[in-house]
């Protein structure tokens, strides 16, 4: 036969049927205590972690280690998986990763230089167009 037990909200001990002291707070939260000692200490706002006979104290101070459940071992992390990204295949990504930093830096610099030159050319074309339209209005 299995007996349904509850746990005390203050001490953390098991409460067998017919032994509980229930307290209902104004916000309708129900607290179940093992005995009036637990209830009075709760009402005095005592911290159960500071009282040596409570299960919270025993847990914080690493007592009663035999009943503590063994922690599960963490599994080894999965190996990182390389996948293609939109716009770049896996081969291209691998090739870029294998490049030396100097080569990568040189490619970046040349691309930057090319963009700057294109911007300069566009700016000059706009300036010439603006100059031509200004002369046309005079």
């Amino acid at each position: 036969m299995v007996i349904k037990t509850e746990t005390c909200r203050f001490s953390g001990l098991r409460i067998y049927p017919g032994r509980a002291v229930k307290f209902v707070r104004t916000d309708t939260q129900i607290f179940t205590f093992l005995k009036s000692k637990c209830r009075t200490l709760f009402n005095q706002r005592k911290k159960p972690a500071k009282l040596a006979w409570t299960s919270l104290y025993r847990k914080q101070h690493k007592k009663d280690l035999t009943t503590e459940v063994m922690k599960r071992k963490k599994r080894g992390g999965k190996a990182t998986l390389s996948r293609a990204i939109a716009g770049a295949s896996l081969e291209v990504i691998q090739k870029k990763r294998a490049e030396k930093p100097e080569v990568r830096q040189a490619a970046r610099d040349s691309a930057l230089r090319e963009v700057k030159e294109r911007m300069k050319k566009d700016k000059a074309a706009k300036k010439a167009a603006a100059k031509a339209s200004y002369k046309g209005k005079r």
Side-chain angles (χ1 to χ4, degrees), residues 8-72:
C8 177
R9 283 292 292 265
F10 188 80
S11 65
L13 299 171
R14 275 190 302 233
I15 304 172
Y16 290 95
R19 292 282 174 179
V21 176
K22 291 207 183 241
F23 168 65
V24 182
R25 209 161 52 184
T26 52
D27 64 349
T28 68
Q29 193 171 2
I30 300 171
F31 296 91
T32 312
F33 302 109
L34 177 61
K35 30 190 162 169
S36 60
K37 174 184 179 180
C38 297
R39 184 174 50 88
T40 53
L41 289 168
F42 176 82
N43 288 338
Q44 292 171 32
R45 299 186 190 277
K46 300 286 185 205
K47 290 191 171 83
K50 291 188 175 181
L51 298 169
W53 54 272
T54 62
S55 60
L56 194 64
Y57 175 92
R58 296 187 67 75
K59 193 173 187 180
Q60 279 190 349
H61 292 84
K62 295 182 175 56
K63 312 282 184 192
D64 223 15
L65 295 174
T66 54
T67 59
E68 197 173 297
V69 179
M70 291 281 289
K71 290 182 182 176
R72 286 186 175 183

Side-chain angles (χ1 to χ4, degrees), residues 56-114:
L56 194 64
Y57 175 92
R58 296 187 67 75
K59 193 173 187 180
Q60 279 190 349
H61 292 84
K62 295 182 175 56
K63 312 282 184 192
D64 223 15
L65 295 174
T66 54
T67 59
E68 197 173 297
V69 179
M70 291 281 289
K71 290 182 182 176
R72 286 186 175 183
K73 282 187 177 180
K74 288 185 179 179
R75 289 184 180 175
K78 291 182 180 177
T80 54
L81 196 68
S82 297
R83 288 194 202 146
I85 302 170
S89 66
L90 188 60
E91 293 83 34
V92 173
I93 293 170
Q94 293 290 346
K95 196 181 349 172
K96 281 209 185 241
R97 196 175 283 164
E99 275 183 359
K100 290 187 176 171
E102 299 86 32
V103 176
R104 202 176 306 137
Q105 186 66 37
R108 190 181 295 127
D109 289 342
S110 67
L112 191 63
R113 201 175 310 111
E114 187 180 307

